[in-house]
Amino acid sequence: MKKFTLALFLIALNLTAALWARAEGIQPASQLAATATPGPITGPSAVCVNQTGVAYAVAALPGSVTYDWTLPSGASIVSGAGTASIVVDFGSDFGDICVTADDGSGASSPSCITTIAAAGRPNSPDSIVGPVYSVCPGQVVTYSVLTPDPNAASYDWIVPPTMTILSGQGTATITVEAGPAFSWGYLRVSASNCRGTTGQKVITVFNAPTKPGAISGPPTGACPNGTYTYSIQAVPGATSYTWFAPAGCVIASPVTSGNPLTTSVTSVDITFPAGFVNGSIYVQSNSGCNSSERRELKIRSVPVKPGGIRGPLFGVCDMTSVMYYVDSVPGAESYTWTFTPGTYTTINGNGNDTIYVDFATGFTQATLCVTANNSCGSSVARCGVVFARPQTPRFIDGPTGACNSNPATSIAYYEVQPMFGANGYDWSVPPGANITLGQGTTRITVDFLGASTGNVSVRAFNDCGISPARTLEVIVNPCRTAGSESNTEFLELIAFPNPAKNSIQIAFQSTVAQDYGLKVVDITGRDVMSLNRSSSIGSNRELLDLTGMSPGIYLICLNSAGSQEKIRVIVE
């Protein structure tokens, strides 16, 4: 019983002492706090052997505080001992740099940074994080290296002349103020350590927001008196958008309307006036200090005029299911095809961009037109004239010189390309010449023995008519015979088509079988092609590949031991 009473007495005594100590503001010895631990140490972790003048620091604690720094073996403090920032000269060893603080209440726990030997210079900064657009004069903004390199000892920032670095030079993050004259400029940063300096990362900073992206909304089909919605994606840094529409239009947002209209929303409704045909919508993004370039969308009510009509314009005599088409027109909902006069023609598939036409007996010619249509109306018509007869042959391939005194060399050949819808070809030759083979076809053989100068002509025909004539003048002269001063001779060289693009064909007459050289020369006299061939008596041809040749004027030269011919050609 006495022991129990004594225990209660001791408990009451301790409780009374604790309450008295708390009332007097006295903490128990076990709860006395030492100095706060310093914050992280700033300074490079990667350093070089015997590097000098390397700065390390912690944020200074309030009050009267001393700092105790410990360094790797061989390193020494050259200035700042006992303070929150020091300058260190290194030796050959690396390791932890630590610091404790003491404000008189006891040393703090240490704050440390581990130093290592720098293996090489740091990586170049990967990207800069910070505002690029809408940086206004007087604004204070922050820029940082996205991923700082542990090997970097410092970062060197260069800002436009109209910006000022307020803090952070040498670190991975800076605070910058844009000056009153700032409009745009380059912001750069490079990293360095004792091994060297990297290349710069550069961004361009503007006081205006970026140009808006594409405008969404109908570019075609904006009918007079109609209202249509147009919108853009939000632009980073933009505080408002200014919309512009053709004269007479009304632009409306949820809270206001006008033309132009400045609003904070990215979507507007535009009402078009009576008689509207075409024009442009523009929009620009605005910041508190400047505006971007304008984004344009060309708009119109009816579709544009269709492109060229594809399909045969000649030789459709009594044909059926002849296809005609145009490339699809943006915004067109249908197409209207017409023939004028409309007799002897039947259009199948009207309303589409492709039709099939039946031509009845009696058709000679008519004008075919097409318009592109939408709910606002029809475009300007695209037209072409269609003929039942064949087209005039495009080119007669054959010599423009001929022999009339030597039976061995008086034969020549002439040819045209087949024409669509032609049933045959009617040829005529100079007086005294004789078509020995091929009348009615695309290629004839002509004997000029006893002939005189004149024209070789050809017309294409079918059951509905005959085309105008294509002619070629032929100069007829006596030719050399065997035993004359030269036993070789080329008649005039021709080349077609001229101008040419990817290839060109040459043709010439030779009086004997012989070897010849062919070359193509540019305007500087440089040979760009050279061939050696053998000719036969009569007509000869050669197809030249022009692929890769620059557009311009060239000379084709045909040479043998006894004669030379030249012709100028154009490559497109």
Side-chain angles (χ1 to χ4, degrees), residues 6 22 68 72 120 145 152 157-158 191-192 198 260 264 268 275 305 332 336 372 390 448 450 496 508 510 521 539 553:
L6 179 61
R22 178 175 297 179
D68 183 26
V145 174
W157 294 84
I158 300 175
S192 62
T198 68
S264 61
V268 296
K305 179 180 180 180
T336 300
F448 284 94
F496 56 93
F508 62 92
S510 180
V521 181
S539 179
I553 299 174

Side-chain angles (χ1 to χ4, degrees), residues 436-484:
T436 62
L437 187 67
Q439 179 65 280
T441 70
T442 58
R443 189 173 191 266
I444 60 171
T445 303
V446 181
D447 186 355
F448 284 94
L449 190 65
S452 57
T453 295
N455 292 329
V456 172
S457 300
V458 62
R459 297 189 298 173
F461 62 85
N462 61 19
D463 293 342
C464 295
I466 190 165
S467 74
R470 176 68 65 188
T471 62
L472 177 68
E473 183 180 10
V474 179
I475 307 299
V476 181
N477 290 304
C479 298
R480 296 187 179 121
T481 58
S484 64

Side-chain angles (χ1 to χ4, degrees), residues 23 41 61 107 130 143 166 216 232 311 364 393 409-410 416 476 518 532-533:
I41 299 174
L61 297 172
Y143 294 95
L166 301 180
S216 298
I232 57 171
T364 55
T409 59
S410 63
V416 292
V476 181
L518 184 68
N532 292 311
R533 297 286 189 268

Side-chain angles (χ1 to χ4, degrees), residues 395-455:
F395 184 84
I396 298 176
D397 172 17
T400 56
C403 300
N404 65 358
S405 61
N406 183 359
T409 59
S410 63
I411 299 297
Y413 306 93
Y414 295 89
E415 186 174 5
V416 292
Q417 296 297 316
M419 305 308 296
F420 178 84
N423 295 340
Y425 301 85
D426 181 33
W427 293 85
S428 62
V429 294
N434 181 36
I435 300 174
T436 62
L437 187 67
Q439 179 65 280
T441 70
T442 58
R443 189 173 191 266
I444 60 171
T445 303
V446 181
D447 186 355
F448 284 94
L449 190 65
S452 57
T453 295
N455 292 329

Side-chain angles (χ1 to χ4, degrees), residues 254-329:
V255 295
T256 186
S257 63
N259 187 10
L261 175 67
T262 299
T263 176
S264 61
V265 299
T266 57
S267 180
V268 296
D269 292 331
I270 300 179
T271 302
F272 293 86
F276 174 74
V277 177
N278 60 69
S280 290
I281 293 173
Y282 300 91
V283 62
Q284 66 187 30
S285 51
N286 311 310
S287 66
C289 50
N290 208 340
S291 299
S292 71
E293 295 180 54
R294 295 180 181 182
R295 173 68 65 182
E296 179 186 14
L297 175 65
K298 294 182 183 298
I299 52 172
R300 56 185 303 112
S301 55
V302 299
V304 297
K305 179 180 180 180
I309 297 174
R310 314 287 182 84
L313 299 181
F314 293 87
V316 297
C317 179
D318 294 333
M319 289 188 175
T320 58
S321 298
V322 180
M323 184 174 72
Y324 295 90
Y325 68 96
V326 291
D327 292 334
S328 296
V329 177

